[in-house]
Amino acid sequence: MPAYRDESGNKTWFSQFTYTNWQGKKINKKKRGFRTKKEALEWEQNFLNEQSGNLDMTFDEFFEVYKRDKLPRIRLNTWQTKENIIKSKVIPYIGNLKMNEISKVTIIQWQNKIMNMVDENGRRYSPTYIRTIHAQLSSILNHACKYYNLQHNVARQVGTMGQKEGQEMSFWTQEEFEKFINAIKDKPEHYHAFEILYWFGLRMGELLALTKEKFDFNNNTVRIDQSLQRIKGKNYITEPKTKKSIRTIVMPDFLSESITAYLDGFYKLKDTDLIFSLSKSSLHREMARGSEKSGVKRIRVHDLRHSHVSLLIELGYSAIAIADRVGHESIDITYRYAHLFPSKQIEMANSLNKLRKSTENDWASLLVESENGENI
């Protein structure tokens, strides 16, 4: 594994070698411009480690391998979230450790540091966020086990930290939403955006990806099959979060009429033009302003989706029907919103009581007939 001095005039070093790629092909590789022979040799070794899957590389180096493998397969905004967490919460602590030297003790010590971290406001991270941080590290180690022969996922062996999202969630009743929406009528674009978020139960990315052609006003439906993510100032249109998220929603008449009037207000709106030019931050700001102006409690923009689900539960719809409308799996609706179904639980218990009493009455009648000498 030699390195060579470049005699072209700048006296730098270069690395030149042949390696076998993942398809089994022999590839010639050459890289110039190293200041020293040591730098050239280190670069060659790191490159070969990445190509061979040799886990005698640092976590920081393996993360680049992981990025190469995963980035083409997941949504860009999902990768951005993953990368931000790993680079800010993991690499500063274990980035220089070799993959095959990361131990259970390493993970425990790292977890303790994360659990004692505070944000810019001096508050500790929520249990849900801490759990997410751990999950990101564990997924990388799991990838190394599955494809690069790492012996153990020590993050999984140690166990997670934090906890899953609690069942308690914030939402508005219809009365609270009506107070809020009336307070922001002075801003038509925001007004219609929040109307759609509340009455359709959309995710924010699904809202921002809406175009005129998605609406069928003859049948009062809207097609949800795209999501918009704004990353570093650029818009990226992707498929929705899951396959289940691709759906057609039937609009109530009042909202169909309102959206028709809103779209008619555009000048030469094309079918493929986005109907909202809002950013997520502008929605958050307007929600804060409207909440304060109307006097209702402050919730997140995403909580309007929870509000829609809770409204449908209150109206008596099943988890399966609600899941179809909001693009969820029915089991997720049952699990995440079980605490909002108390009246349904009471109705179920009452029905079971009636069933049992009906059965008991039938048996009592049979016993009376038996005592009277009748065959049963």
Side-chain angles (χ1 to χ4, degrees):
M1 192 171 66
Y4 308 92
R5 182 180 290 277
D6 193 336
E7 303 296 342
S8 61
N10 54 16
K11 303 301 181 182
T12 57
W13 291 78
F14 67 91
S15 175
Q16 184 172 357
F17 54 92
T18 300
Y19 71 97
T20 303
N21 71 5
W22 64 277
Q23 294 176 313
K25 296 180 179 178
K26 296 287 186 180
I27 305 293
N28 295 321
K29 186 72 177 178
K30 184 176 183 179
K31 185 174 177 64
R32 300 177 180 273
F34 297 101
R35 292 180 300 171
T36 65
K37 180 178 181 180
K38 181 180 179 182
E39 287 182 3
L41 291 174
E42 286 180 350
W43 179 86
E44 180 180 340
Q45 184 60 61
N46 289 337
F47 179 87
L48 290 174
N49 284 344
E50 289 185 11
Q51 294 300 316
S52 66
N54 183 349
L55 271 296
D56 187 30
M57 69 173 81
T58 66
F59 179 87
D60 195 1
E61 291 165 343
F62 183 77
F63 183 64
E64 294 304 313
V65 176
Y66 179 79
K67 180 177 181 178
R68 179 196 65 197
D69 293 347
K70 297 294 287 187
L71 184 55
R73 298 171 178 267
I74 60 178
R75 292 174 8 137
L76 185 58
N77 67 308
T78 301
W79 174 257
Q80 288 287 123
T81 299
K82 182 185 289 286
E83 186 174 48
N84 289 339
I85 289 175
I86 294 301
K87 287 192 172 181
S88 63
K89 306 297 189 306
V90 181
I91 287 178
Y93 302 95
I94 67 173
N96 292 328
L97 294 179
K98 290 186 176 180
M99 290 290 288
N100 52 21
E101 293 177 350
I102 299 174
S103 66
K104 295 178 185 178
V105 173
T106 303
I107 300 300
I108 291 173
Q109 292 175 344
W110 168 76
Q111 286 181 339
N112 290 338
K113 290 178 181 178
I114 296 299
M115 289 188 289
N116 286 308
M117 274 186 176
V118 295
D119 61 18
E120 61 274 10
N121 297 316
R123 295 175 297 194
R124 289 190 178 182
Y125 297 128
S126 70
T128 304
Y129 183 55
I130 288 175
R131 184 183 178 92
T132 300
I133 295 172
H134 182 275
Q136 296 300 338
L137 171 59
S138 185
S139 69
I140 293 174
L141 297 182
N142 193 55
H143 187 79
C145 291
K146 188 172 182 180
Y147 299 105
Y148 294 94
N149 301 317
L150 183 67
Q151 293 300 307
H152 304 287
N153 180 347
V154 289
R156 177 180 292 175
Q157 292 177 337
V158 168
T160 190
M161 55 181 174
Q163 63 187 37
K164 289 184 179 180
E165 183 177 356
Q167 288 192 328
E168 291 300 323
M169 59 183 69
S170 297
F171 61 91
W172 278 338
T173 63
Q174 183 187 351
E175 181 182 359
E176 288 173 314
F177 176 73
E178 298 292 357
K179 289 180 180 179
F180 164 81
I181 202 67
N182 285 322
I184 64 165
K185 280 187 173 180
D186 56 325
K187 292 191 175 182
E189 187 175 12
H190 286 89
Y191 172 87
H192 285 91
F194 284 119
E195 280 274 274
I196 290 174
L197 286 171
Y198 181 79
W199 293 108
F200 289 172
L202 298 192
R203 300 177 179 92
M204 208 183 313
E206 294 171 343
L207 168 82
L208 298 178
L210 288 176
T211 59
K212 183 179 179 181
E213 66 182 357
K214 304 296 183 185
F215 293 89
D216 178 355
F217 293 106
N218 291 324
N219 295 301
N220 273 8
T221 62
V222 58
R223 178 68 175 168
I224 306 300
D225 55 12
Q226 290 181 321
S227 181
L228 183 146
Q229 313 300 325
R230 187 168 286 123
I231 301 172
K232 296 181 179 179
K234 293 184 178 180
N235 289 341
Y236 295 87
I237 301 293
T238 66
E239 291 184 352
K241 189 174 181 181
T242 64
K243 289 184 178 179
K244 183 74 174 179
S245 300
I246 299 175
R247 62 204 189 275
T248 298
I249 298 174
V250 179
M251 299 182 284
D253 290 340
F254 72 87
L255 195 54
S256 177
E257 294 169 3
S258 177
I259 295 172
T260 299
Y262 172 69
L263 297 181
D264 287 344
F266 284 87
Y267 178 70
K268 293 185 178 180
L269 180 68
K270 297 178 182 178
D271 286 347
T272 56
D273 287 344
L274 297 175
I275 66 171
F276 293 111
S277 59
L278 304 171
S279 65
K280 292 183 178 181
S281 59
S282 73
L283 287 168
H284 287 298
R285 287 194 301 270
E286 189 59 21
M287 195 158 193
R289 183 185 78 94
S291 298
E292 183 177 357
K293 185 177 179 181
S294 62
V296 299
K297 65 178 178 287
R298 175 76 184 276
I299 64 173
R300 302 171 303 166
V301 174
H302 186 71
D303 289 327
L304 290 174
R305 182 170 164 83
H306 298 320
S307 301
H308 183 68
V309 172
S310 68
L311 177 62
L312 296 179
I313 291 172
E314 184 181 343
L315 292 173
Y317 291 99
S318 69
I320 294 176
I322 296 171
D324 286 342
R325 184 172 179 84
V326 300
H328 251 313
E329 295 293 340
S330 58
I331 192 171
D332 294 333
I333 295 293
T334 303
Y335 175 77
R336 296 190 66 193
Y337 299 93
H339 60 294
L340 298 179
F341 281 93
S343 61
K344 295 297 157 189
Q345 293 288 345
I346 293 172
E347 289 177 16
M348 289 177 190
N350 289 338
S351 296
L352 294 174
N353 281 332
K354 290 179 181 178
L355 184 64
R356 168 50 68 88
K357 287 180 180 180
S358 174
T359 305
E360 289 175 346
N361 290 336
D362 289 344
W363 275 105
S365 297
L366 289 172
L367 288 173
V368 169
E369 292 175 0
S370 177
E371 290 173 358
N372 291 334
E374 299 179 18
N375 294 326
I376 58 172

